Amino acid sequence: MLESLRGLGYAPATALADLVDNSIAANAREVAIGLEWLGPESRVRVIDNGDGMDDPALEAGMRLGACDPRTERAATDLGRFGLGLKTASFSQARRLTVASRKKGGPIVCLRWDLDLIGQEARAEWPLFEGPAPGSEHLLQPLKEMPHGTIVLWEKLDRIVTDGFTGKNMIELADRVEAHLAMTFHRFLSGHPPMLRLTLNGRELKPWDPYLTGHPGKALESPTYRIPPSTGATVQCHVLPHRDMLKPAEQDAAAGPGGWTQQEGFYVYRNRRLLLAGGWLGLGDGGKPWPRDEAHRLARIQLDIPNSADADWKINILKSTASPPVRLRPHLHRLATETRHKARQVFACRGHLTPASGTRSNAVADAWQVRRSAHGTSYRIARDHDLVVSILNRAGPLKPDILALLRLVEESVPVQRIWLDTAEDKEVPRTGFAEATDREVMEILYPLFEALISQGLSNAEARERLSRTPLFERHQRLITALEVKDAQ
């Protein structure tokens, strides 16, 4: 059974996160993780200053399934199955040693060694007391601590495999750091933080998925209860477009998995992150939403109580969650609204008209979308103010102008645009993003005159242009517009 449990699917980072869970549950304020490269003798050690355990508690903790997952537990408890310490440890190592002491008590130590199971005549479940010979010094820090626990992994057969080198251990430490900084970011933030977590002596800094408080964010909603009786809360976020972020902010905001992989729901239980990204199987027309570039700025914080584990189908690895049926409509509505806003920000490169304004008086979009049973097509708006003005003044050239418009419509390089967007992971730069003031004025002034020719005053024409998304970044140029001989 123990050999079978090794295949549950833990990665080193997720296994270590389970050990940190135990430390937090024991009220630890400091957890130190050490990955020590010694070739085949490499080891992992986790030291915390939590409450510690006495001998009966340690023996219970080293048993498989030490607690019934159906049992009601403290609201702050991060465990559920009573398996995390053992399954996480055995997934990476064949020898697990745990030493602990409660305040005022002696140091107690028990050890599992999978290589010795079945070789001990007196017991089918050989739990050994004390560390393995030669490993005693690794438990020395506990002698200087009033209380706390040390977890030691040895015989790292699932980590130190054939061809594994010191460089691989460094890369592993980087992955572990990124995962723990994400998983426990709400414990690591604050002044002072609830938890101080170090890896090989370096303090981990929290990774905030939401860029909380960033002035460029398009959405940072209030926290909603959905519905109040479930204890679940949601907060919706739309991150700034990368054009509005500094290079360092772009790299940090992308997260361990990159922009697309990190979009979607972030499910927490007791502030501990269980699931980072994905849309929880929600979608439209029976098809789940995929993770795609257009919605990569959407991130939704979802908190659930630990009493809801069964309803949400939380697995032993704390890596999957499925919302109860009664909550899915609420989550779908909030996710749809957040995805829509994120798509707008992505398409407009983050430059949206402020919510306090209105576009009802803006100049119409130059393009119209037409959908039919035969598909979607794009047409230049014939009622656009500048188009109307030109056609009214075109005289005998009007048929040629209409023919030119139709030629442009039928030759839009849709496939090329789609391919370039997929490859560049970014929409093409439009909306005068790189245009000079002179280039913008070459379009802006004729449109201004077209509005004046329709009977608008200078002020009214400027007002309409200021509300038009295409020119909203050029308010200074709009303010300077003037037709001196206007009526």
Side-chain angles (χ1 to χ4, degrees):
M1 183 182 69
L2 288 171
E3 294 291 348
S4 298
L5 288 174
R6 304 192 76 200
L8 278 175
Y10 281 98
T14 55
L16 284 167
D18 259 18
L19 300 194
V20 176
D21 285 343
N22 292 339
S23 298
I24 293 173
N27 300 310
R29 298 299 300 270
E30 296 186 6
V31 180
I33 300 173
L35 307 180
E36 188 173 0
W37 169 249
L38 294 169
E41 304 302 317
S42 298
R43 55 200 175 217
V44 175
R45 184 171 57 169
V46 180
I47 306 173
D48 74 49
N49 66 348
D51 296 336
M53 294 174 280
D54 56 20
D55 194 52
L58 176 58
E59 186 170 347
M62 291 289 271
R63 290 203 312 265
L64 291 168
C67 58
D68 189 331
R70 298 166 297 181
T71 302
E72 185 175 348
R73 61 201 60 211
T76 56
D77 194 340
L78 297 179
R80 172 60 55 180
F81 299 95
L83 290 170
L85 170 64
K86 285 77 64 176
T87 55
S89 300
F90 293 147
S91 73
Q92 310 301 316
R94 297 192 66 79
R95 182 190 292 160
L96 165 65
T97 305
V98 180
S100 190
R101 81 183 319 173
K102 291 183 71 70
K103 186 174 183 179
I107 294 176
V108 294
C109 181
L110 290 175
R111 168 172 46 98
W112 276 106
D113 193 326
L114 299 187
D115 290 336
L116 300 181
I117 290 180
Q119 298 183 18
E120 190 71 17
R122 61 181 173 82
E124 295 181 0
W125 300 88
L127 260 177
F128 296 93
E129 292 193 6
S135 298
E136 295 84 355
H137 66 287
L138 298 172
L139 306 182
Q140 282 294 116
L142 198 55
K143 293 184 177 180
E144 310 299 325
M145 299 167 60
H147 50 82
T149 299
I150 295 179
V151 177
L152 177 63
W153 293 350
E154 298 173 291
K155 301 181 182 179
L156 305 177
D157 65 323
R158 294 293 179 89
I159 295 177
V160 184
T161 54
D162 290 342
F164 192 91
T165 66
K167 180 180 178 181
N168 298 127
M169 183 65 88
I170 294 172
E171 293 171 350
L172 173 62
D174 289 340
R175 293 194 297 272
V176 169
E177 179 177 355
H179 182 77
L180 297 182
M182 175 177 67
T183 301
F184 298 102
H185 74 93
R186 293 170 72 180
F187 292 88
L188 301 174
S189 59
H191 302 284
M194 295 176 61
L195 177 70
R196 181 174 181 267
L197 184 57
T198 62
L199 177 62
N200 290 346
R202 182 171 65 180
E203 185 170 354
L204 270 62
K205 302 301 181 184
W207 177 68
D208 176 11
Y210 315 110
L211 292 179
T212 305
H214 193 287
K217 289 180 66 175
L219 175 65
E220 188 171 310
S221 78
T223 299
Y224 305 102
R225 291 190 175 275
I226 50 155
S229 60
T230 66
T233 62
V234 172
Q235 186 180 32
C236 304
H237 301 261
V238 174
L239 271 58
H241 190 277
R242 74 178 188 183
D243 285 1
M244 306 179 74
L245 298 174
K246 299 175 183 177
E249 290 177 324
Q250 292 180 27
D251 294 340
W259 282 99
T260 304
Q261 286 302 309
Q262 301 289 174
E263 73 180 59
F265 283 94
Y266 286 67
V267 182
Y268 299 81
R269 184 184 63 182
N270 296 340
R271 300 171 62 86
R272 194 267 201 203
L273 183 61
L274 302 179
L275 193 66
W279 295 106
L280 299 179
L282 300 175
D284 297 312
K287 295 182 179 180
W289 292 320
R291 304 187 202 197
D292 56 21
E293 291 295 328
H295 302 98
R296 70 181 190 175
L297 302 177
R299 295 178 182 175
I300 301 176
Q301 177 180 317
L302 173 58
D303 282 275
I304 64 173
N306 68 355
S307 58
D309 281 7
D311 290 341
W312 283 81
K313 300 178 178 63
I314 306 299
N315 68 352
I316 293 175
L317 275 64
K318 304 170 189 170
S319 62
T320 62
S322 179
V325 173
R326 67 183 184 279
L327 294 187
R328 294 179 75 88
H330 303 278
L331 295 175
H332 185 279
R333 176 179 56 81
L334 291 170
T336 298
E337 295 170 358
T338 305
R339 282 165 56 87
H340 175 70
K341 176 67 73 173
R343 186 183 183 93
Q344 283 184 310
V345 174
F346 180 77
C348 299
R349 310 192 76 89
H351 296 278
L352 298 177
T353 297
S356 59
T358 173
R359 292 181 177 176
S360 60
N361 195 36
V363 175
D365 289 338
W367 286 92
Q368 294 177 338
V369 181
R370 295 183 180 178
R371 293 183 172 87
S372 67
H374 303 291
T376 302
S377 61
Y378 301 88
R379 296 287 182 262
I380 295 175
R382 300 298 191 269
D383 59 350
H384 186 275
D385 296 282
L386 185 56
V387 174
V388 170
S389 176
I390 291 172
L391 292 177
N392 287 341
R393 293 180 284 113
L397 289 177
K398 182 174 181 179
D400 293 334
I401 294 174
L402 290 173
L404 176 61
L405 296 181
R406 187 59 186 271
L407 176 63
V408 171
E409 293 169 343
E410 296 297 336
S411 60
V412 174
V414 175
Q415 293 291 341
R416 180 60 187 269
I417 293 172
W418 183 85
L419 288 172
D420 288 344
T421 300
E423 291 173 358
D424 298 341
K425 300 186 184 304
E426 192 57 76
V427 294
R429 300 188 71 84
T430 57
F432 302 109
E434 299 176 349
T436 65
D437 286 355
R438 181 177 179 178
E439 291 171 326
V440 175
M441 285 298 292
E442 288 175 352
I443 303 297
L444 191 57
Y445 194 79
L447 182 54
F448 179 66
E449 287 189 315
L451 295 174
I452 296 297
S453 69
Q454 296 176 26
L456 273 66
S457 67
N458 287 353
E460 291 170 335
R462 286 194 294 266
E463 172 69 12
R464 288 195 62 183
L465 290 171
S466 69
R467 296 180 181 275
T468 302
L470 187 61
F471 300 112
E472 62 188 8
R473 285 178 286 175
H474 304 283
Q475 299 296 324
R476 177 178 55 83
L477 299 180
I478 294 172
T479 302
L481 289 171
E482 186 79 26
V483 177
K484 296 181 180 179
D485 60 349
Q487 297 301 317

